[in-house]
Amino acid sequence: MSSEPTQGTSPLTAGRRGVLWMTVAVAGWAMVEIIGGLLERPYSLFQVVWSRYAVHLLFMLVVVGRGAPGALWRTRRLRYQVGRSMLMLGMPACFIFGLAGGAPAGAFLSVFWTSPLLILVLARVLLRERARVLLVAAAVAAFAGMVLLQNPVASLSPSAVALALGMSFCFALYVVMTRSLRTEWTGTNLFYTALGPFLPLTAVMPFMWTTPDLHDALVLAAIGVVGLGSLYALDRSAALAPVSLTSPAQYLQGVWTFAIVFALGAMPHLGRRIPVASAVIVAATCLTWWFDSRLLGTPDDSAS
């Protein structure tokens, strides 16, 4: 596989397109969170996750795989695909168990947002990506901005910290493994992403199932469709650019969340904290856009 285009060969290099796709991905995740707030009845979060991936799989089979569904599960790296997909079960499971144990959501998510920093570490070890000091500084600054956005006001127990770090590790490893699968068809990657959490959750759904009414069924369907779009954007981002380069852009999810909520009129006054934190995150992302591949050392294309 050829090396990534270098800075200056095109106004929209592969690295910059990767950042753009990551921006789309995190915008979708922000929308998923907001859409989830529209549910009118209480549901187990495991049921919400199961419903999301059920819609995801149905879309893949009916729309993407129409006429040749076998292409969806045909892969040269079956064990790798399955292992990666199970991270999409571990990630929400850590979050759900953390909240069930009484962990405040803001403090829990502040720990989870170490995941882009962890991506820098895992990408160095597993993909041989080399983030330069300026890129690491941008990611750390964006993390500080995200913590300021989350505004945690409570501490976490050791078990909650462990679960939050587990959630962070699952997501970071998922992103790094997605980069390793860039030679596989995106449809196959997305199929296995959903299949991993869907199958084990199907076994326990009878014990926690709440039948949704029409309104909530449509909300759950919307979560599945938007979530699928976000994962597609993540896959495209990882295929185009080293994941180290796009890691600061992941913090734009917080900016998107507050921007959407403000646009909907649900938050009439942003105060001073949110604009300042958002400006830090946007500035860090703009820095990665401007310097592009110069923020990396040697290319990682020799990595598997």
Side-chain angles (χ1 to χ4, degrees):
M1 190 172 181
S2 61
S3 60
E4 303 289 347
T6 58
Q7 175 73 18
T9 59
S10 168
L12 194 58
T13 63
R16 288 174 176 173
R17 282 183 286 154
V19 171
L20 284 177
W21 276 112
M22 183 58 73
T23 302
V24 173
V26 297
W29 295 333
M31 290 178 63
V32 164
E33 290 183 0
I34 292 170
I35 293 171
L38 300 177
L39 291 169
E40 294 180 343
R41 300 178 65 185
Y43 300 91
S44 163
L45 290 178
F46 282 116
Q47 181 177 342
V48 175
V49 174
W50 178 89
S51 300
R52 169 184 175 172
Y53 287 118
V55 172
H56 179 138
L57 281 173
L58 182 63
F59 186 92
M60 295 298 298
L61 291 169
V62 174
V63 179
V64 180
R66 184 177 55 184
L72 291 172
W73 55 78
R74 196 172 298 123
T75 176
R76 294 167 294 178
R77 306 181 69 180
L78 179 60
R79 292 181 180 179
Y80 199 86
Q81 287 278 15
V82 172
R84 169 179 163 272
S85 71
M86 294 309 297
L87 296 170
M88 286 291 99
L89 176 60
M91 181 181 164
C94 287
F95 179 69
I96 294 168
F97 290 139
L99 294 190
F108 192 93
L109 290 174
S110 292
V111 176
F112 161 74
W113 278 111
T114 58
S115 55
L117 304 180
L118 188 55
I119 285 172
L120 296 177
V121 177
L122 292 177
R124 177 68 184 93
V125 174
L126 301 177
L127 300 175
R128 297 194 288 278
E129 293 182 7
R130 294 192 176 190
R132 296 192 186 276
V133 173
L134 188 58
L135 177 55
V136 176
V140 171
F143 170 67
M146 191 63 159
V147 172
L148 186 59
L149 279 180
Q150 294 290 335
N151 193 28
V153 294
S155 59
L156 295 175
S157 66
S159 60
V161 171
L163 286 169
L165 289 174
M167 183 182 177
S168 174
F169 178 80
C170 285
F171 179 71
L173 186 57
Y174 175 86
V175 172
V176 171
M177 293 177 75
T178 299
R179 173 67 173 168
S180 294
L181 289 169
R182 61 191 181 277
T183 57
E184 295 262 286
W185 181 40
T186 299
T188 299
N189 291 344
L190 293 175
F191 175 79
Y192 280 104
T193 291
L195 189 66
F198 175 79
L199 290 179
L201 287 177
T202 298
V204 300
M205 275 304 102
F207 305 102
M208 57 182 65
W209 180 259
T210 298
T211 302
D213 58 17
L214 178 60
H215 173 274
D216 284 359
L218 292 174
V219 171
L220 291 169
I223 291 173
V225 172
V226 176
L228 171 58
S230 298
L231 289 170
Y232 173 79
L234 174 62
D235 196 281
R236 295 302 305 139
S237 175
L240 285 163
V243 293
S244 298
L245 186 65
T246 61
S247 60
Q250 293 174 29
Y251 291 109
L252 288 172
Q253 179 176 343
V255 180
W256 276 116
T257 298
F258 282 104
I260 295 171
V261 169
F262 182 74
L264 293 175
M267 182 180 290
H269 302 292
L270 291 176
R272 188 175 298 178
R273 171 179 58 86
I274 294 174
V276 170
S278 299
V280 171
I281 294 171
V282 170
T285 305
C286 289
L287 184 146
T288 62
W289 174 277
W290 178 257
F291 287 98
D292 195 8
S293 58
R294 289 177 289 176
L295 292 174
L296 296 169
T298 55
D300 72 316
D301 290 283
S302 61
S304 60

